[in-house]
Amino acid sequence: MKHASTSPFRPRVRSMLALACATLLAGCTVGPDFRRPDPPMAKDYAPSALPLDTVSAPVPGGDAQRFAPGRDIQADWWTLFGSPRLDALIARALARSPTLEAAQAALRAAQENVYAQRGFFYPTVGIGYSPARTKIAGNLGGNSPGVQGNGSVISTYQGTPASEGGSAPFNAPVIYNFHTAQLTVGYAPDIFGGQRRQLESLEAQARMQHYQLEAAYLTLASNLVAASIQEALLRRQLAIAEGIVEANEQAVALLQRQLRAGYAARQDLAQQELALAQARQQLPPLRKQREQTRNLLRALAGDGPDEDLAIDFDLDALVLPRELPLALPSRLVEQRPDIRAAEEQLHAASAQVGVAVADRLPQFSIDASWGGAASRLGEMFLKSGRFFSLAGSVGQTLFDGGTLTHRQRAAEEGLRQADAQYRATVIAALQNVADTLQSIQANAQSLRDAALAEEKARVALDLTRRRLRLGDVDRLALLNAQQAHDQAVLARVQAQAARLGDSAALFQASGGGWWQRTPKS
């Protein structure tokens, strides 16, 4: 008995072939590799260092505030305003907002696209079964297939006498069954990394949707805080305006009695009636603004305009945060969700360049099939009925009218666009924080000045009242002093609300602490 000789080179050849196949399947990744943009060169938010403390004022909401560089922001930063009613309203909105629901669905859709793309790295396996029943006409002449009673195909030969070993001519139609079943496997090796770049792009888009969801959370909470402060301001302004109307009504009634008694002039009454009319004109716009603000709060909370919500806020009950976290510009790009979303958009655009480059290179595929075919179902996978095929292919586009070339150029321009948009987003974010810091300092000073003006106006009003009782001045002087005091009170209240709004704006401009929030599905 002879044994087949084994060549010492065969294992080495097989190893080299296996290594070559592995290298071919692994391939390379064409296109630019993404590198995160460098942090901004800015070191601060103004050419000269801003004060870390604001001025204070001896009125509600007039406490001095201090900036805390580098301090982290808590996720529920709105609780620092000390309003349980505001906290409950925001919790309701976060649970019911259709805007958040839409952003969450967009994130899940982007994640599903990532999972779908990962399927391209696996072979495609399919199974098929094709039964057929065929009828062939019997008048075709020549050799005609026959069929046995069990459905198997037989052959008959026309024109050969039976005495010579042939069969009688068979001219009847032939009906037979045929069954085919097969398993197919297809695989397209990602030689140049086009599919990997597409996956990279989709993963970046999913992260972008995540940051857009965080931005939606932040925007919703910030809008609710701003609308609540506005509602509290309008309630206070409306109360002041109604008090002014009431005081003017009392003054008109008093002057009417004095005029009838001969102690007042008709001109004084006319001036007081004019002041009353002007005061009443302030009420409808304030009431309209207040109701519109309340409608806004209901809408942000995900409710209709007929919903009865606890949305009455007291300006003096809102606490002014005394310490404000301040992120340096290099840290701001990590905290702002809009900047992070723009960065991921840049990443996705970079990967798309690689996809466009890979599309211009040769495309490879491997296809295999194995199965059986027979006229009877039970005989498909007998040795005589089995079949298989294994094929590989490579294709290269030679001419397409410049389509793939221009797609690559479009992807490259898209990358330049995304880069410019990212830089513009960073600049706008830095400006946003810088503007807010300036506003905090300026409005703190405005509140201090408004409080001082209110105090002076109150003193002037008291003195005018005394002089009027002594007969040193007329009622017109009192009317002017009253109007000056009313305007001073309104200015102080507006400055008080502005300081609260500035604090909320800084929390929003700094990113709102989304990285500390527990993710929710």
Side-chain angles (χ1 to χ4, degrees), residues 110-361:
Q111 291 171 337
E112 292 298 331
N113 287 332
V114 171
Y115 303 148
Q117 179 63 25
R118 289 174 180 169
F120 284 101
F121 300 108
Y122 297 92
T124 301
V125 181
I127 188 171
Y129 168 62
S130 176
R133 183 171 177 82
T134 305
K135 177 180 179 179
I136 300 179
N139 59 359
L140 299 179
N143 296 337
S144 300
V147 61
Q148 296 179 344
N150 60 5
S152 300
V153 179
I154 61 175
S155 297
T156 62
Y157 301 89
Q158 293 182 349
T160 304
S163 60
E164 296 180 8
S167 63
F170 189 88
N171 294 322
V174 177
I175 300 176
Y176 67 95
N177 301 327
F178 200 74
H179 303 269
T180 303
Q182 65 178 344
L183 178 71
T184 59
V185 179
Y187 181 65
D190 192 22
I191 303 300
F192 299 107
Q195 298 296 342
R196 292 194 293 279
R197 288 300 191 195
Q198 185 65 35
L199 175 62
E200 180 184 352
S201 177
L202 290 172
E203 288 175 338
Q205 292 178 43
R207 291 191 296 271
M208 181 185 70
Q209 289 294 339
H210 165 69
Y211 292 126
Q212 289 182 342
L213 173 60
E214 297 298 345
Y217 273 104
L218 176 58
T219 301
L220 178 59
S222 301
N223 288 343
L224 281 165
V225 173
S228 299
I229 295 172
Q230 180 69 8
E231 199 276 338
L233 172 61
L234 288 169
R235 287 185 72 242
R236 178 64 62 83
Q237 289 177 322
L238 187 57
I240 294 172
E242 289 173 344
I244 294 173
V245 170
E246 183 179 357
N248 279 278
E249 287 174 343
Q250 294 173 357
V252 168
L254 175 61
L255 281 174
Q256 286 174 342
R257 291 195 298 268
Q258 291 178 344
L259 179 62
R260 287 193 297 268
Y263 295 106
R266 185 67 184 85
Q267 181 181 0
D268 293 339
L269 177 59
Q271 291 173 341
Q272 190 65 60
E273 288 175 337
L274 174 60
L276 174 59
Q278 291 174 338
R280 285 174 174 169
Q281 288 178 351
Q282 305 301 318
L283 296 181
L286 289 173
R287 288 170 179 159
K288 179 194 72 173
Q289 292 176 38
R290 185 194 176 204
E291 291 307 316
Q292 289 177 342
T293 302
R294 293 166 66 87
N295 288 336
L296 173 61
L297 286 168
R298 293 187 183 97
L300 291 173
D303 295 303
D306 59 340
E307 191 74 22
D308 186 15
L309 296 179
I311 51 179
D312 292 325
F313 294 95
D314 184 1
L315 196 61
D316 292 340
L318 294 172
V319 177
L320 183 71
R322 294 197 177 185
E323 192 169 71
L324 297 174
L326 180 61
L328 297 177
S330 58
R331 178 62 181 166
L332 187 69
V333 297
E334 300 288 339
Q335 296 183 179
R336 291 268 300 216
D338 57 339
I339 295 179
R340 298 296 297 272
E343 179 184 325
E344 294 302 337
Q345 181 63 36
L346 176 61
H347 191 167
S350 172
Q352 283 300 316
V353 174
V355 173
V357 173
D359 287 343
R360 300 183 62 188
L361 300 175

